[in-house]
Amino acid sequence: MVNAPTVASIQVNESNVVWYNSLTSTTAIAPTTTLVNGIYYGAIKDPVTGCESSVRLAVTITIKDPGTPTTTDTTQDFCLVNAPTVANIQVNESNVVWYNSLTSTTAIASTTALANGIYYGAILDPVTNCQSAVRLQVTITVTNPATPTTTDTTQDFCIVNSPTVANIQVNETNVVWYGTLTSTTALAPTTALVNGIYYGTILNPMTGCESSTRLQVSVTINNPTATPTTNSATQNFCSSNAPTVANIQVNEANVVWYSNPNGGTALPAITPLTTGLYYGAISSLIGCENPVRLIVTVNVNTPGVVTTTSTTQRFCLSKAPTVANIQVNETNVIWYSTQTGGTPLAANTPLTATTYYATLLSNITNGCANATRLAVAVSFENDALYPITSTDDTPCVFQGVTYSVANGKSNYVWSVTNGTITSGGGTTNGSATISWSDVGPGTVTVTYINTCDETTTKTLNVTVATCSDLTITNTVSNPTPNFGEEIVFTITVNNVGQGTILNTLVSDLLPSGYEFVSASTSAGVYDASQIWTIPTLNAGESETLEIRVIVLPNGNYLNVATIEISTPLDVDPTNNTASATIEPICLTVYNEFTPNSDGANDFFRIDCIESYPNNELKVFNRYGALVYSKRGYQNDWDGTANVSGVINRGDMLPTGTYFYVIDIGDGKVKKGWLSIMR
């Protein structure tokens, strides 16, 4: 049926045969008509005359179809490694041939290698050579799992770890291993590894396919590293050196340490050491450490400290001191001449003027040999190195200066020329404060017994200077007073030098323009001769003189104060004179007048008012009410009010007392009381 036979396919031995549906039918069947089961009647037809056979040939036709093949899986998977062919496609029937398409007429050879795609199957009847009219479609997938990969194709293992095939490192899962490239029997994962090459494939657990190309891994089985050794199974360290695991002494390189005798994690080399047991193994890149570890007992000790009451010690050279004489508070002390390293000094080593370094004997034995050593500076008594020192190398007269001797110890005897000891200076005093009496040379001498029981005398020559400097100032309380007004001159004398000054005489001779009223001083006396005597004036101090005077209408107003003499003499006389002067105002107010028109004292008079044309006069009654006001007053007020208020403008003011204010300009104001008498 698959060949689609037609009437032309009916086999006869002659040509020009036409076919009919019956013996008597007159309508021939077209040659292209598809055959069906039944009887066909043939006759030979003469193509020239058109005559046909009188007797027709009867042929019984049977159309056969072997049927479409069947399968249990229309999508079939194969492994490339198994080299599958067309013959491996699973069907339930025999005599099945395969094609590349539904209409292909050329069957695929059964030995053709399978490839991914659709295959079309038909049953071939070996007798009739008929094939299925409808072909079976099967989708084929040929699977090839990738070759497994690894980070190391030459892998080392340690025999003590009992490595197996499962320990071979690969980057994928579902890898199976073989002993050869072509072996078909996989090794069990528990198979013990041996030296050699192993071949791995990825096994697809769904299809059972394996990689067509196998990964090769070379395996080496190693023996464990040796157990490390040490020169000391008990090792001492010093806490001050901050020891770490890396400091444990062993004779081999690449040793790692554990806190446990077996297992555990290796300690980092920078791990600080503590007292206890440490377990060492020679490190192996493949993890093949010896399970038998080296045991080291570690003691981390705290260094002992050497102390002393003095880190600078002085000795008497005459007593031949040795290292044993250096004072420390501990026993079993070892001395060195260097801060680190070096050789211990014998106890009878003579001392020299240098620095010695001490540590405890226990530090040497407990790992703290490098602990910080106590430094003691050694020197010897030498009185020549310690002269008398002073707080001032250029003293002033009457100035208190302290003199000291640094290395004296007892039985002090102090003596002075041209001065007096004001404090200290006793047999137990290493210093004395001296006040120098006069300008010129002086000496300080002290005798004492030093620490070496030697009597020593020291002398210091001194040149005493005056160092004095007096200044004077002169100020006046009012530089522009009125005639007859009382003012105050203030004279100040300052000691700006360094020493005390005695018996200072200051002159202040009042000129003719003043009338003396009184004088007062902060110290000393200002006598009738107009001389001010100051008994004592210490450095940095000041004293004042106040002189009260009345300003006269005429005379000399320049007041001069002068420092005449002092003990000691002032070194700078240029600032020993000070002056003060005034510019008196001619403004005399006559504070009583009688405005009764008798021609005598009828007006309020102010002398010199004409000198101040911009003046302003205001008069108030005793209740503060303004009764008179005039700018440019000219001595012409007769007691008449010119301001309306409590009294009318133009009225005569009654007898009484009034308050006046005169502003003469430039901020100068004169105030006072006046009386009107009628």
Side-chain angles (χ1 to χ4, degrees):
M1 183 68 177
V2 71
N3 297 327
T6 63
V7 168
S9 303
I10 300 173
Q11 189 273 323
V12 288
N13 297 322
E14 293 80 18
S15 60
N16 299 318
V17 176
V18 292
W19 296 92
Y20 297 90
N21 287 328
S22 66
L23 282 173
T24 60
S25 174
T26 59
T27 302
I29 302 170
T32 58
T33 301
T34 300
L35 286 176
V36 295
N37 291 331
I39 299 174
Y40 288 80
Y41 299 90
I44 297 172
K45 184 176 182 178
D46 187 320
V48 177
T49 64
C51 292
E52 295 182 3
S53 305
S54 58
V55 179
R56 295 178 176 177
L57 171 65
V59 176
T60 301
I61 297 298
T62 301
I63 303 301
K64 292 185 177 181
D65 185 356
T68 301
T70 61
T71 181
T72 58
D73 186 5
T74 58
T75 57
Q76 298 181 29
D77 295 289
F78 295 89
C79 298
L80 181 64
V81 71
N82 296 329
T85 65
V86 167
N88 296 123
I89 301 175
Q90 185 273 323
V91 286
N92 299 320
E93 294 77 22
S94 58
N95 300 319
V96 176
V97 292
W98 296 92
Y99 298 89
N100 287 326
S101 68
L102 277 173
T103 58
S104 174
T105 58
T106 303
I108 302 170
S110 61
T111 58
T112 302
L114 283 178
N116 292 332
I118 300 175
Y119 288 78
Y120 302 87
I123 298 173
L124 174 65
D125 187 323
V127 176
T128 64
N129 204 32
C130 287
Q131 294 185 17
S132 308
V134 178
R135 294 177 179 177
L136 169 68
Q137 296 185 36
V138 176
T139 300
I140 298 298
T141 301
V142 179
T143 302
N144 181 23
T147 302
T149 61
T150 180
T151 59
D152 186 6
T153 57
T154 57
Q155 298 184 28
D156 293 277
F157 296 89
C158 189
I159 194 170
V160 298
N161 296 329
S162 301
T164 65
V165 165
N167 297 123
I168 301 175
Q169 186 274 323
V170 285
N171 300 320
E172 295 77 21
T173 59
N174 300 319
V175 175
V176 293
W177 296 93
Y178 296 88
T180 67
L181 268 175
T182 58
S183 173
T184 58
T185 303
L187 300 172
T190 57
T191 302
L193 287 177
V194 296
N195 292 332
I197 298 175
Y198 289 79
Y199 303 86
T201 67
I202 296 175
L203 173 63
N204 187 321
M206 301 297 295
T207 64
C209 289
E210 295 182 13
S211 311
S212 59
T213 302
R214 294 179 178 179
L215 168 70
Q216 296 186 34
V217 175
S218 177
V219 168
T220 301
I221 306 301
N222 298 279
N223 291 318
T225 58
T227 299
T229 60
T230 180
N231 295 335
S232 176
T234 300
Q235 299 184 29
N236 289 293
F237 297 89
C238 192
S239 61
S240 62
N241 297 329
T244 65
V245 164
N247 298 123
I248 301 176
Q249 186 275 321
V250 286
N251 299 322
E252 293 78 20
N254 301 319
V255 174
V256 292
W257 294 94
Y258 298 85
S259 57
N260 301 312
N262 48 61
T265 302
L267 300 171
I270 61 173
T271 303
L273 284 179
T274 59
T275 297
L277 298 178
Y278 288 82
Y279 304 87
I282 296 176
S283 177
S284 170
L285 295 176
I286 61 171
C288 200
E289 293 178 3
N290 199 310
V292 179
R293 295 174 177 173
L294 169 67
I295 303 174
V296 173
T297 300
V298 167
N299 296 312
V300 179
N301 303 295
T302 301
V305 178
V306 182
T307 61
T308 179
T309 58
S310 176
T311 56
T312 57
Q313 298 184 28
R314 194 179 304 280
F315 296 88
C316 299
L317 190 59
S318 59
K319 296 182 179 180
T322 65
V323 165
N325 297 122
I326 303 176
Q327 185 275 322
V328 289
N329 300 321
E330 292 73 27
T331 58
N332 297 320
V333 173
I334 298 175
W335 291 94
Y336 295 83
S337 59
T338 56
Q339 190 172 9
T340 58
T343 303
L345 300 172
N348 61 354
T349 301
L351 289 179
T352 60
T354 187
T355 299
Y356 292 86
Y357 302 90
T359 187
L360 293 175
L361 177 61
S362 59
N363 287 344
I364 306 301
T365 59
N366 66 11
C368 290
N370 292 328
T372 301
R373 296 171 180 175
L374 170 69
V376 175
V378 168
S379 60
F380 297 98
E381 288 290 352
N382 183 356
D383 287 296
L385 299 177
Y386 302 98
I388 297 175
T389 60
S390 69
T391 56
D392 191 339
D393 293 334
T394 57
C396 303
V397 177
F398 306 127
Q399 179 186 3
V401 179
T402 299
Y403 296 87
S404 304
V405 62
N407 65 335
K409 291 298 180 181
S410 61
N411 297 332
Y412 297 96
V413 178
W414 292 87
S415 61
V416 181
T417 62
N418 192 24
T420 303
I421 297 176
T422 59
S423 65
T427 58
T428 60
N429 300 124
S431 63
T433 300
I434 297 171
S435 176
W436 295 103
S437 304
D438 202 356
V439 175
T443 59
V444 180
T445 302
V446 61
T447 299
Y448 60 88
I449 297 176
N450 66 16
T451 55
C452 296
D453 295 326
E454 300 166 343
T455 299
T456 300
T457 299
K458 301 285 182 69
T459 298
L460 178 65
N461 294 318
V462 176
T463 299
V464 182
T466 61
C467 302
S468 61
D469 188 7
L470 295 175
T471 65
I472 189 170
T473 61
N474 190 353
T475 61
V476 64
S477 59
N478 184 1
T480 57
N482 295 314
F483 292 141
E485 186 175 339
E486 184 177 286
I487 60 173
V488 178
F489 287 102
T490 301
I491 297 89
T492 303
V493 177
N494 311 284
N495 183 356
V496 297
Q498 299 181 19
T500 300
I501 298 180
L502 305 178
N503 299 323
T504 301
L505 300 184
V506 180
S507 66
D508 192 324
L509 306 179
L510 290 176
S512 59
Y514 304 106
E515 178 184 337
F516 177 78
V517 176
S518 65
S520 62
T521 63
S522 61
V525 177
Y526 180 71
D527 58 20
S529 63
Q530 299 183 347
I531 298 297
W532 176 26
T533 302
I534 306 173
T536 303
L537 193 58
N538 295 321
E541 289 185 345
S542 300
E543 302 294 349
T544 59
L545 164 66
E546 290 186 352
I547 303 176
R548 294 182 177 275
V549 297
I550 294 175
V551 180
L552 300 177
N554 50 59
N556 181 11
Y557 298 109
L558 180 62
N559 180 23
V560 180
T562 303
I563 300 171
E564 302 291 352
I565 194 169
S566 63
T567 303
L569 290 174
D570 192 350
V571 296
D572 183 11
T574 62
N575 52 11
N576 287 1
T577 297
S579 300
T581 189
I582 63 170
E583 294 182 9
I585 299 174
C586 174
L587 201 65
T588 302
V589 178
Y590 296 90
N591 57 2
E592 181 179 296
F593 69 105
T594 57
N596 53 12
S597 302
D598 63 355
N601 198 26
D602 286 331
F603 299 98
F604 177 52
R605 180 172 177 78
I606 304 172
D607 285 348
C608 300
I609 193 66
E610 64 276 5
S611 299
Y612 306 97
N614 296 323
N615 73 79
E616 183 179 13
L617 171 64
K618 290 184 178 182
V619 180
F620 302 85
N621 66 14
R622 60 181 179 173
Y623 302 107
L626 182 65
V627 296
Y628 181 80
S629 176
K630 186 175 182 181
R631 184 176 296 277
Y633 180 65
Q634 297 180 359
N635 291 331
D636 53 358
W637 183 46
D638 62 358
T640 300
N642 69 353
V643 177
S644 295
V646 295
I647 192 169
N648 293 324
R649 180 185 181 91
D651 290 345
M652 298 293 290
L653 294 176
T655 298
T657 301
Y658 296 84
F659 185 76
Y660 68 85
V661 177
I662 304 171
D663 185 349
I664 62 174
D666 298 330
K668 299 175 183 178
V669 176
K670 188 173 181 65
K671 303 175 181 179
W673 294 93
L674 64 88
S675 296
I676 297 178
M677 306 295 292
R678 294 197 183 273

